[in-house]
Amino acid sequence: FWNLLWILLAIFIISLLFRQCNSNQNYFEKGVNYFEDGNSDKGFKYLDKAIKKDNQDIEALMRRGNEYINAEEYQNAEYDFSEVITLDPNKWEAYYLRGRSYMGQAPNKWSPLYKKAIDDFTTSISLESSSVNANSFYYRGDVREISEEERSGCADFVKACDLGSELGCD
C-alpha cells in the first residue's frame, strides 16, 4: 500500500512539474493564436506573459517584436530584437528586424537611426547572405537611397533581385 502511495505521489509531482514547464509554451501558443485571429491586444497580453515567465524565450521575443513592427510600435520592436541579439548574437533575423524598426523610427533622412539600420542590415547579411535574407539587401539599399544619395542603393537592389526578392527587382 505504501509503495503504491509513493508511486502515485511521484507521478503527481512529475505531472505538476511538466505542466509548469509547458505553461510558458501555452502562453506563447495562445498569443500566436490570438494574433492569427486578429486580436492583437490579447496576443500581446499572452506573449508578455510568456516573456515574463522566461525572459530568455527567443521565439516569444521574436514574435512579439514582429507584431510590434506590424503595429508600427517600432521602439518596442527595437527593444525586443536587441534582447534577442544579447541572447544570441548570431541570429541574423534579429538584426534584420531591428534594422526595420530603426527605419520606422527615423523622423527624417538625416536621422542617425538610418546609420544604425544600415549597420544592422550589414550584420544580418554577414551572418546570412543567401536568398532567405534577400530583404536585408533590399532594405539596406532603400536606407542608403533615403539617407545618403540617389542611386547609392543600386548594388543592394540588384543583389536582392538576384537572390529572388521581388522588392529588389521592382
Side-chain angles (χ1 to χ4, degrees):
F1 172 76
W2 290 109
N3 287 339
L4 181 61
L5 185 61
W6 283 111
I7 291 171
L8 290 174
L9 182 61
I11 291 172
F12 176 73
I13 291 171
I14 290 170
S15 69
L16 282 178
L17 290 173
F18 182 73
R19 199 165 82 196
Q20 282 184 332
C21 291
N22 284 334
S23 66
N24 198 48
Q25 187 65 22
N26 290 337
Y27 288 141
F28 175 78
E29 288 171 7
K30 282 183 179 181
V32 168
N33 289 337
Y34 279 119
F35 279 113
E36 288 173 357
D37 291 342
N39 189 339
S40 60
D41 289 339
K42 282 192 175 182
F44 279 120
K45 178 182 167 187
Y46 278 95
L47 288 181
D48 290 347
K49 285 181 180 185
I51 293 165
K52 186 175 182 181
K53 187 153 181 70
D54 178 4
N55 64 358
Q56 296 186 5
D57 186 339
I58 289 176
E59 189 177 14
L61 285 162
M62 288 291 291
R63 181 60 187 242
R64 187 174 71 177
N66 267 311
E67 296 300 341
Y68 279 137
I69 285 179
N70 292 338
E72 297 182 1
E73 294 184 31
Y74 299 111
Q75 261 189 319
N76 289 331
E78 175 195 343
Y79 172 79
D80 281 351
F81 298 128
S82 293
E83 285 296 307
V84 171
I85 290 166
T86 299
L87 295 169
D88 183 358
N90 294 315
K91 188 133 183 98
W92 68 266
E93 297 137 310
Y95 290 98
Y96 161 71
L97 291 166
R98 187 173 70 176
R100 295 283 312 277
S101 72
Y102 288 140
M103 288 178 71
Q105 293 177 70
N108 56 53
K109 74 181 221 167
W110 300 281
S111 174
L113 291 169
Y114 281 131
K115 170 73 170 105
K116 288 182 171 187
I118 289 171
D119 291 345
D120 271 1
F121 293 133
T122 300
T123 301
S124 178
I125 290 165
S126 73
L127 293 170
E128 178 59 64
S129 61
S130 72
S131 62
V132 71
N133 194 19
N135 283 341
S136 280
F137 286 99
Y138 170 77
Y139 284 109
R140 185 174 69 178
D142 194 34
V143 170
R144 285 180 169 157
E145 294 272 320
I146 293 167
S147 66
E148 294 173 2
E149 61 185 56
E150 195 173 319
R151 307 193 61 72
S152 60
C154 250
D156 282 329
F157 294 145
V158 170
K159 182 67 176 179
C161 183
D162 288 346
L163 292 173
S165 169
E166 289 182 31
L167 292 171
C169 296
D170 289 342

